[in-house]
Amino acid sequence: MRLHNVNRVEELMQRGLMAQGVIAAFAILMFSFIDIYGVYRYIGQQVQQIQETYSNVR
């Protein structure tokens, strides 16, 4: 009986670790997506500013 409980606890711990790993991976993915989006927006703003300056010069 005791051995069975130990196995179950280990199984639950493994599942918990898996869940934590999935959550961590998901969070990292979300953060990287947000970072990429921010970089794209920043680059877009810079390009727009450069285009505006060029059109003003001409």
Side-chain angles (χ1 to χ4, degrees):
M1 185 71 189
R2 220 175 133 228
L3 188 67
H4 184 69
N5 281 348
V6 168
N7 282 348
R8 206 171 147 208
V9 167
E10 275 183 7
E11 196 183 319
L12 283 174
M13 275 179 66
Q14 277 183 332
R15 266 194 217 155
L17 282 175
M18 270 179 60
Q20 273 184 331
V22 169
I23 289 165
F26 193 71
I28 290 166
L29 267 174
M30 287 294 293
F31 278 125
S32 59
F33 271 128
I34 290 165
D35 280 349
I36 290 165
Y37 183 67
V39 167
Y40 269 124
R41 240 177 34 184
Y42 178 73
I43 290 170
Q45 281 177 350
Q46 298 297 110
V47 168
Q48 213 174 14
Q49 280 179 352
I50 291 165
Q51 281 176 348
E52 278 174 17
T53 6
Y54 270 126
S55 57
N56 286 349
V57 165
R58 274 191 299 175

